[in-house]
Amino acid sequence: MIETTGANPAALTVSNVKQRLAKRAKMLAAIRYYFDQQQMLEVDTPLLSDYPVTDPQLDNIKVENPTVNYQSTSQPWLYLTTSPEYAMKQLLSLGSGSIYQISKSFRQDAPGPKHSIEFTLLEWYRVGFKMTDLIDDVTALLMALMPTSLMANGVEILSYREAFLRHLSIDPFILTAKQLEDFAHQNIDCDFTDQDKDIWLDLLMSHCIEPNLGQQTPCFLIDYPASQAALAKIAHDQQGNLVAKRFELYIEGIELANGYEELTDHDQHVDRFEQDNQRRGELDLPVQAVDQHFLKALKSGLPECAGVALGVDRLLLLAAS
Amino acid sequence: MATYSTNEFKNGLKLIIDGDPCNIVENEVVKPGKGQAFNRVRLKNLKTGRAWEKTFKSGESVEAADVMDTDMEYLYCDGEFWYFMDPISFEQIPASLEAVADAKLFLKEQDSCVVTLWNGAPLTVSPPNFVELEVVETDPGLKGDTAQGGTKPATLSTGAVVRVPLFIDQGEVLKIDTRTGEYVSRA
């Protein structure tokens, strides 16, 4: 599916090259127009990083560092970035103000109809924004980019808890890992066991809930369990549950964007990176060095902000359907 | 025990699920946003033919099934077993009715068949796509009736009953498509 969006020359033919490239170029121009109108600065950060990411669910593609023999400080490997997040946050900490970027990202994902190891990401950060401001911002961008029929009914904002209640009639915050495991085994054919509650939430989310999201109108799924906060702020919801101030945007069951009210505190970042590496150890994954440039930026002070990454190839796919 | 990790999953890979050999028909990696990845796999049970969907946690290991397809020559049936010979080693192996199943209707001596072996024992047998078999019983042929017109049942030397054109006579050899069980032409 992703192959049809014009990013891969090998998937283009003489008969479709002009049409597909024109669609892509028009989309990129419309994105830039939207941000230019709001005096947002476009930035262009490195694709090669000295450090990998610690997130246990993400794996960098690494490349040999050709400068390793010339500079004693060089590491043997460089890492293709999984998103421009750390580099952009360094710019924010230096006082760049709100910024956006359209760039390639790389992930060691299994390829599939909605996954490619190389893809185009639109990522932006708004200084002073809360999660709800950013949802409004993403909605305005969609209005500018997507067919009017898609946006005719506005957008839906649904909490993680409400999504589970609606589609599975269970409360993900109340049930224990064991109860979720039993529930999953009753509803999905699988044999594995796990004591990690998030595994069961992820399984139920991906198999039973996600396919239903955004079918009528684009859906922002918000207030994730705190254990899935990644680098988002954590707060209490109305039920008193600890939730991550994070959202994912779904259109027609496809995850299109992932946004955070950004964690800014240095020490909390260090804690989360440690948790990531601990989890990596449990999963027999390599423990990753923490990005020192990013930590330094956090120490000097990341402004309060909200940021989101949006898959441009998927956006093109959805705009065409 | 040989195993496969989910990152080795691909179509055609053979696994043991609940004690039965299965074939991967389709393998899809599903990943919710930033979370754990899963392999949602469409499997076919090679013993029963049942197809269904099963989910594995990415990184899980699953027992490999020692299943392979071999070309073997059909020799004879002793009433209980159907005997096949490896044309290279001349080794003979018996296949049960369960393994031969419907293929028994199209097995002709000396024909080369694909025998799927599981741990060295026949699991399924596939006859050639086309076989030539003699008509042992049918109503007398109608002269003058050529391509047009109806059909009638004919019993072949293997016991298979197929629909044939009215002009076919007892003793004739016919070409049959074993995948559909249909008459193709006179041989």
Side-chain angles (χ1 to χ4, degrees), chain B residues 2-4 8-17 20-25 43-46 62-69 116-118 123-124:
Chain B
T3 60
Y4 291 116
E8 297 172 278
F9 279 13
K10 59 177 183 227
N11 296 359
L13 201 73
K14 312 287 194 295
L15 307 172
I16 300 283
I17 308 286
D20 278 359
C22 297
N23 182 34
I24 294 185
V25 181
L43 290 159
K44 187 178 172 189
N45 184 317
L46 293 173
V62 186
E63 188 181 349
D66 177 17
V67 171
M68 59 177 202
D69 292 339
T116 304
L117 299 173
W118 176 36
L123 185 66
T124 57

Side-chain angles (χ1 to χ4, degrees), chain B residues 7-77:
Chain B
N7 58 29
E8 297 172 278
F9 279 13
K10 59 177 183 227
N11 296 359
L13 201 73
K14 312 287 194 295
L15 307 172
I16 300 283
I17 308 286
D18 300 329
D20 278 359
C22 297
N23 182 34
I24 294 185
V25 181
E26 205 179 320
N27 170 43
E28 187 193 1
V29 177
V30 188
K31 190 172 164 145
K34 276 196 153 265
Q36 166 76 37
F38 301 96
N39 291 63
R40 188 159 54 193
V41 182
R42 191 151 184 83
L43 290 159
K44 187 178 172 189
N45 184 317
L46 293 173
K47 268 171 97 171
T48 64
R50 183 177 84 99
W52 84 109
E53 239 175 38
K54 192 173 177 74
T55 296
F56 301 86
K57 189 170 64 171
S58 294
E60 236 187 306
S61 283
V62 186
E63 188 181 349
D66 177 17
V67 171
M68 59 177 202
D69 292 339
T70 44
D71 290 322
M72 299 190 102
E73 188 183 312
Y74 170 60
L75 297 177
Y76 65 97
C77 173

